[in-house]
Amino acid sequence: MKLRRLIVKPDLPDELQPLRIIGTNMWFTWNPEANRLFQALDPELWEKCGHNPTMLLSQLTEGRRREILEDNVLIDRIRDLERSFDNYVSNIENYSFNLERPIDYRIAYFSMEYGIAECLPIYSGGLGVLAGDHLKSASNLCFPLIGLGLLYQKGYFRQYLNIDGWQQESYQDNDFYNMPISQVGDGAGGQLSFDLELDGVLVKILIWKVQVGRIPLYLLDSSHPSNSETTRRITAELYGGDLEMRMQQEIVLGIGGARALHLLGLWPFVYHLNEGHAAFAALERIRQSMITYRTSFEVAMEAVTASTVFTTHTPVPAGIDLFPQDLVGKYFSKYMESMGMTVKDLIDLGCANPDDRSSPFSMAVLALRLSRGVNAVSKLHKDVSKKMWKSLWPNVEEDDVPIGYVTNGVHIPSYLSKEMSDLFDRYLGEGWIEEPDNTKIWSRVYNIPYEQLWTVHETRRERLVNFCRRRLMKQLISSGGSIIDRKRVREYLNPEALTIGFARRFAPYKRADLILTDPDRLLKIMSDKRRPVQLIFAGKAHPKDMVGKEIIKKVVHQSRSEGFYRNLVFIEDYDIHVARYLVQGCDLWLNTPKRPKEACGTSGMKAAPNGVLNLSILDGWWPEAYDGTNGWSIGTDEEYPDSEDQDRVEAEQIYDLLEYEIIPLFFDRGPDGLPHAWIEKMKNSMAKICGYFNSHRMIEQYMEDYYLQAGLAHQILGENKLTRASELSEWKRKVRSLWKDVKVIDVSVPTGDRVSLGQTLEITASIQLGKLRDEEVIVDLCHGTVGQDEDSERLVNRNMTAMVSEEQVADGVWRFKGVIHCEETGVYAYNLRVLPFHPYLFNPLSMNLVAWG
């Protein structure tokens, strides 16, 4: 029987209509007054609805609506909030690019997941939450960003544990019509959709929209009723299914996302691929450019790659999406033929070793080869990424691999407690929320009275304890826990204890169980009644990660053992809501990845504005933040050859820090009952971390280091139907064929190889360029001190000085001259590097052509 569908919406009185509009814009998630107002409408229903204003408004009883209408204070609050919201969305001052030639800087941001709020469960962890923060800060800064993603019918799994502590997964359907999302109309009363061919089958893709402040986020969905049951499942689960399902999802995200933009009449200048999942977007953009400008693949690729930015998030090969070459052929043979290309051409772009038939097709490799702007997500991760991908640039030194970095940041208002936000308004000034990257503003935390800061912090710790008790009771009831166990819950956790939080993905390299290495010593530390300590764990393991599940089981079993059951707990179903309570209420945030496997990590950044101190391995972002006064480091920057030895040593360091530094500092109270030295450390942490490790600074850095250059490249290469892109393509072809003749013939130092401090060293070099002209190359002097190892060929603190072409001394031979300023004593060294140069070649190293002296 075929059913006719209709959409039923609540009929709200005029006075409450503004709440419907505000509730469908994710602005409410980071506006404290909006959150408080929705909660005030019906606190119990607000919690039951998962902080979803759309569902809340639809389930308000008639009686409660009448009460609200008769409450003048509430009505005034609604009007005030409406004014604040209207001012926010209407105040669109374009970001100042300070450019002589105006550029339409629309940026398309592609991500597999978005963690914006708990009421929109289309995220799994840090990657999605980072993407959500990216959009929120883009909104606050009026950045011209457009988000692209997938709308999952079931989202990511809900976690629960069986009686033995083993993780179980359940998937619940998302009710799109009771979520803060809307259909994109097709102009004829229906929902906008388009056809996408997958292995010879036409699949209808629906387009939805989430408004994130001023930023539109478009989500694609394959659950169109005309699709087969199999194709409807493509967007059912985030990271669900087998390899083929993953490929289908990434085709929908990348190729479908690029087509959706054009169907919507949007033509962004810059594409930003957040991880390799979206690499097919650049491929589709090449295809569209070929059709629009009637040009070749090579020419279109020049324009597209120059204006594509790729952010790599993984420091380990296991985190990369890899597909068999046969599967690529199955889905892309016809697609590549439509461009006059073959599947082998695509495999050449996506395989690290395309000549090896067993070499898998890598989405990260494809993204690296189709992007001129590539960045890691922390300074340390940049070094790891250069080492990881060095093989793609075999002629380039590791230091010169063209991967930069933009350290991640967090959207502070989204994770800050209401009480701390009020404190910041009072002592930092209300402008802090508009300029979270202003370090001068954050220096004002030293003006907050010790007593007020500590009172707020203790309030949040008490709320965390009460929240955990409620969650633990719910866990016991659902798992069939005994009456005795349920009574015990009231004894769990202590509102006055030093509270340590560990909450993140339970990937094995994150070592959630490191602190459990020596249970006897840990028990001794935690069982001191004068100085109580407690541990709260939360996190999910990937459904297929058996090792991660074993770690969860180990933590749960430890929490049930004698001596631990009151002060060590595991909170099920970790999400943004649970994370918010933890980062707002803990005293210490524990982070124990196996260096250097943490690309960045952002949970500790969310903890810092709430006054929570970090205790972390020097991995990811922490080496950039830690200064000895704002938290603690576990070890230094050691990397151990033996994994078990590393675990043992670093666990001992945790116990030592807790026993001899952290616990004494926390419980050292003055006559007023305040831990003055601890509070001073809290202030140091807030002052030194918050002003830099926030998403405002992050996307402003993206704009300065990547978006501006990519947008200029799009404008320059795209002019006159890609004429300049065609010139660049032809020039590259010429240079590649002639580069074999480029060599440094001789180098001379007229002043000799002994110089005094402060003198200059003049160097001349004769360089054979063959049929290339001197303006078609860059000659660099690479110089610096030599490493302490006598056999070292690596320069320390390497500098680059451009040499200048002086004259042609023979047919195809040119003399270059350069000067080094000797400003350090010791053993100094230099070398010459010749690179191709063209005014439209925005990264000379990208050609992988280098001639060394």
Side-chain angles (χ1 to χ4, degrees):
M1 179 175 66
K2 193 169 181 68
L3 300 175
R4 294 190 60 146
R5 298 167 182 254
L6 67 159
I7 300 171
V8 180
K9 293 186 176 180
D11 184 20
L12 292 174
D14 291 344
E15 293 88 344
L16 302 186
Q17 284 297 337
L19 293 178
R20 187 205 299 278
I21 298 169
I22 295 169
T24 55
N25 189 311
M26 304 307 285
W27 173 81
F28 81 86
T29 65
W30 70 86
N31 182 279
E33 186 50 44
N35 267 281
R36 292 173 193 177
L37 182 54
F38 282 122
Q39 184 180 32
L41 298 181
D42 190 325
E44 188 175 336
L45 184 58
W46 179 242
E47 292 300 321
K48 184 180 176 183
C49 291
H51 304 160
N52 179 349
T54 304
M55 187 174 290
L56 172 79
L57 294 172
S58 71
Q59 293 187 11
L60 283 175
T61 65
E62 189 62 36
R64 180 54 186 152
R65 288 186 199 175
R66 283 196 300 270
E67 290 173 1
I68 294 169
L69 294 175
E70 293 168 2
D71 188 332
N72 292 331
V73 174
L74 262 181
I75 294 300
D76 286 344
R77 286 175 65 186
I78 292 171
R79 290 171 182 155
D80 289 344
L81 186 65
E82 181 183 18
R83 281 191 289 271
S84 296
F85 176 73
D86 289 344
N87 287 338
Y88 180 86
V89 295
S90 62
N91 182 19
I92 305 178
E93 298 178 5
N94 288 329
Y95 186 85
S96 175
F97 299 107
N98 299 317
L99 299 174
E100 293 181 9
R101 299 174 63 191
I103 296 178
D104 177 359
Y105 257 104
R106 277 179 292 185
I107 302 149
Y109 182 85
F110 290 78
S111 183
M112 195 76 164
E113 52 174 302
Y114 288 89
I116 301 170
E118 56 268 33
C119 64
L120 189 62
I122 55 170
Y123 65 94
S124 72
L127 178 74
V129 173
L130 173 80
D133 286 0
H134 200 101
L135 300 193
K136 291 173 185 178
S137 277
S139 172
N140 287 349
L141 289 166
C142 296
F143 267 35
L145 201 79
I146 304 160
L148 270 298
L150 302 181
L151 183 60
Y152 302 100
Q153 184 67 57
K154 297 178 183 295
Y156 203 50
F157 70 89
R158 304 295 300 270
Q159 178 198 55
Y160 66 98
L161 305 179
N162 67 16
I163 196 68
D164 193 35
W166 188 257
Q167 174 181 288
Q168 306 287 300
E169 298 90 28
S170 68
Y171 292 87
Q172 301 175 9
D173 282 338
N174 286 323
D175 181 0
F176 298 158
Y177 300 97
N178 274 309
M179 292 168 64
I181 60 177
S182 60
Q183 297 177 333
V184 175
D186 61 3
Q191 185 172 3
L192 191 62
S193 65
F194 61 94
D195 291 332
L196 186 64
E197 186 175 335
L198 293 171
D199 189 22
V201 177
L202 284 181
V203 181
K204 277 207 174 295
I205 306 297
L206 295 163
I207 305 178
W208 301 77
K209 181 181 177 183
V210 176
Q211 195 66 34
V212 186
R214 303 177 177 112
I215 303 297
L217 166 60
Y218 295 101
L219 301 174
L220 308 182
D221 165 28
S222 69
S223 67
H224 193 284
S226 67
N227 290 336
S228 68
E229 184 180 346
T230 301
T231 54
R232 285 201 298 270
R233 285 202 300 268
I234 293 172
T235 58
E237 298 172 12
L238 172 59
Y239 304 135
D242 56 13
L243 269 181
E244 187 161 7
M245 179 71 76
R246 179 67 67 88
M247 171 163 277
Q248 291 171 342
Q249 286 186 341
E250 295 182 1
I251 291 172
V252 173
L253 173 64
I255 295 176
R259 291 185 185 176
L261 285 171
H262 293 181
L263 186 61
L264 292 162
L266 302 169
W267 298 80
F269 269 39
V270 177
Y271 272 31
H272 184 170
L273 314 178
N274 187 40
E275 203 31 286
H277 311 303
F280 293 137
L283 187 65
E284 172 63 12
R285 196 180 182 201
I286 290 171
R287 191 191 69 84
Q288 291 170 346
S289 296
M290 290 174 67
I291 294 170
T292 302
Y293 300 110
R294 297 183 179 181
T295 190
S296 68
F297 184 92
E298 290 77 11
V299 171
M301 188 169 75
E302 287 298 339
V304 168
T305 56
S307 55
T308 300
V309 177
F310 168 50
T311 298
T312 174
H313 287 266
T314 180
V316 290
I320 305 294
D321 280 339
L322 302 173
F323 299 111
Q325 292 186 20
D326 291 344
L327 189 61
V328 177
K330 179 179 178 180
Y331 281 90
F332 282 92
S333 291
K334 191 174 177 181
Y335 180 89
M336 295 303 292
E337 285 173 12
S338 71
M339 293 186 279
M341 308 290 285
T342 67
V343 170
K344 181 64 168 64
D345 295 320
L346 178 57
I347 288 170
D348 286 349
L349 286 171
C351 286
N353 186 4
D355 294 327
D356 180 0
R357 283 289 296 163
S358 64
S359 176
F361 183 88
S362 165
M363 295 298 286
V365 170
L366 180 65
L368 285 163
R369 287 186 172 141
L370 294 183
S371 307
R372 285 292 174 267
V374 181
N375 73 280
V377 290
S378 71
K379 187 176 182 180
L380 178 59
H381 182 225
K382 176 199 71 173
D383 298 335
V384 173
S385 297
K386 285 175 180 283
K387 188 184 297 290
M388 185 174 172
W389 300 113
K390 168 69 177 72
S391 64
L392 299 183
W393 290 273
N395 299 319
V396 173
E397 286 199 328
E398 189 175 298
D399 287 342
D400 293 328
V401 170
I403 298 176
Y405 78 97
V406 177
T407 302
N408 288 340
V410 299
H411 188 256
I412 292 174
S414 292
Y415 311 102
L416 195 66
S417 73
K418 298 170 186 176
E419 296 83 0
M420 194 67 77
S421 180
D422 291 341
L423 209 56
F424 287 172
D425 287 346
R426 196 176 312 139
Y427 291 100
L428 274 62
E430 294 187 2
W432 77 266
I433 201 166
E434 299 297 329
E435 294 185 274
D437 55 339
N438 186 331
T439 54
K440 290 183 179 178
I441 286 177
W442 288 103
S443 67
R444 297 173 192 161
V445 298
Y446 292 108
N447 298 333
I448 302 175
Y450 280 53
E451 184 178 1
Q452 290 186 34
L453 181 57
W454 190 245
T455 298
V456 164
H457 187 64
E458 287 200 302
T459 299
R460 291 311 313 183
R461 190 191 316 117
E462 185 174 357
R463 290 191 181 174
L464 170 61
V465 167
N466 290 330
F467 169 76
C468 289
R469 287 173 179 170
R470 292 195 301 271
R471 290 291 291 242
L472 291 166
M473 179 64 78
K474 185 179 176 183
Q475 289 172 203
L476 280 169
I477 291 171
S478 64
S479 64
S482 68
I483 299 296
I484 295 174
D485 287 337
R486 295 182 201 180
K487 287 182 178 179
R488 267 185 173 182
V489 169
R490 301 189 189 101
E491 305 169 0
Y492 284 5
L493 303 178
N494 178 352
E496 296 181 357
L498 170 63
T499 303
I500 304 171
F502 183 100
R504 50 188 47 83
R505 282 190 305 119
F506 266 62
Y509 79 86
K510 292 179 183 282
R511 298 189 297 178
D513 57 342
L514 185 64
I515 196 171
L516 308 179
T517 301
D518 186 344
D520 292 337
R521 185 170 181 191
L522 180 61
L523 180 60
K524 180 184 174 184
I525 291 170
M526 295 180 68
S527 59
D528 185 340
K529 293 181 180 179
R530 295 180 301 105
R531 303 190 304 183
V533 178
Q534 56 199 15
L535 267 164
I536 302 174
F537 288 89
K540 297 177 177 179
H542 188 279
K544 296 178 182 177
D545 183 0
M546 296 301 115
V547 178
K549 290 184 177 184
E550 286 287 355
I551 295 172
I552 290 176
K553 181 180 174 182
K554 179 179 178 180
V555 171
V556 172
H557 279 225
Q558 194 69 63
S559 73
R560 295 172 180 172
S561 63
E562 192 61 37
F564 284 103
Y565 74 85
R566 286 187 178 89
N567 53 11
L568 193 160
V569 299
F570 183 90
I571 304 299
E572 292 178 11
D573 204 26
Y574 182 53
D575 64 1
I576 289 176
H577 180 52
V578 174
R580 202 176 286 119
Y581 268 96
L582 286 165
V583 298
Q584 291 173 4
C586 286
D587 299 295
L588 192 67
W589 199 253
L590 181 63
N591 184 38
T592 52
K594 187 161 288 188
R595 180 186 163 101
K597 294 186 176 181
E598 185 71 89
C600 182
T602 57
S603 61
M605 301 177 194
K606 302 177 181 81
N610 289 288
V612 181
L613 296 175
N614 279 274
L615 168 61
S616 177
I617 298 288
L618 283 170
D619 198 9
W621 72 288
W622 192 232
E624 297 172 57
Y626 174 67
D627 68 0
T629 72
N630 57 357
W632 290 271
S633 72
I634 303 166
T636 53
D637 56 358
E638 307 100 328
E639 292 178 22
Y640 296 76
D642 184 275
S643 182
E644 290 185 8
D645 187 46
Q646 179 178 3
D647 290 349
R648 180 185 56 77
V649 170
E650 291 178 342
E652 287 295 323
Q653 290 171 341
I654 294 172
Y655 301 140
D656 287 345
L657 283 167
L658 286 172
E659 198 167 352
Y660 303 121
E661 291 188 38
I662 296 170
I663 295 172
L665 192 72
F666 183 82
F667 287 102
D668 181 16
R669 307 296 166 102
D672 54 4
L674 300 177
H676 290 266
W678 183 277
I679 297 172
E680 190 66 24
K681 215 171 182 73
M682 288 170 63
K683 290 185 176 186
N684 290 341
S685 173
M686 297 160 107
K688 296 175 181 179
I689 290 175
C690 299
Y692 184 81
F693 296 95
N694 62 78
S695 50
H696 274 50
R697 183 274 313 159
M698 176 184 75
I699 68 166
E700 284 180 320
Q701 190 176 342
Y702 271 114
M703 179 59 74
E704 293 166 10
D705 295 351
Y706 292 94
Y707 294 161
L708 280 173
Q709 187 184 53
L712 285 167
H714 183 278
Q715 184 183 60
I716 291 168
L717 295 180
E719 284 183 349
N720 195 17
K721 297 183 178 180
L722 302 187
T723 298
R724 286 176 173 169
S726 180
E727 291 175 16
L728 180 60
S729 180
E730 286 297 320
W731 177 83
K732 281 187 173 182
R733 189 178 292 111
K734 179 191 79 170
V735 170
R736 286 195 176 99
S737 68
L738 298 176
W739 195 256
K740 63 182 183 300
D741 298 326
V742 176
K743 62 183 68 175
V744 178
I745 298 175
D746 66 67
V747 179
S748 62
V749 185
T751 57
D753 61 359
R754 290 186 179 272
V755 291
S756 300
L757 184 67
Q759 288 186 331
T760 57
L761 187 68
E762 187 178 289
I763 299 171
T764 60
S766 298
I767 300 176
Q768 177 181 299
L769 299 180
K771 294 183 179 180
L772 295 178
R773 299 185 306 277
D774 59 337
E775 65 262 29
E776 292 181 291
V777 298
I778 298 171
V779 182
D780 289 325
L781 270 171
C782 311
H783 56 95
T785 54
V786 181
Q788 293 183 0
D789 185 348
E790 291 183 2
D791 298 324
S792 175
E793 292 295 323
R794 188 179 178 88
L795 294 175
V796 181
N797 299 321
R798 188 181 66 160
N799 297 294
M800 293 290 180
T801 301
M803 300 185 77
V804 179
S805 172
E806 288 200 310
E807 61 179 331
Q808 186 173 3
V809 295
D811 186 23
V813 180
W814 298 76
R815 179 183 293 123
F816 286 77
K817 180 180 178 181
V819 174
I820 297 174
H821 298 279
C822 300
E823 298 174 346
E824 292 182 67
T825 58
V827 181
Y828 217 71
Y830 64 89
N831 202 347
L832 271 64
R833 182 182 73 179
V834 185
L835 298 172
F837 173 79
H838 189 282
Y840 309 149
L841 182 67
F842 297 97
N843 190 337
L845 289 161
S846 64
M847 286 189 68
N848 195 25
L849 298 176
V850 186
W852 287 97

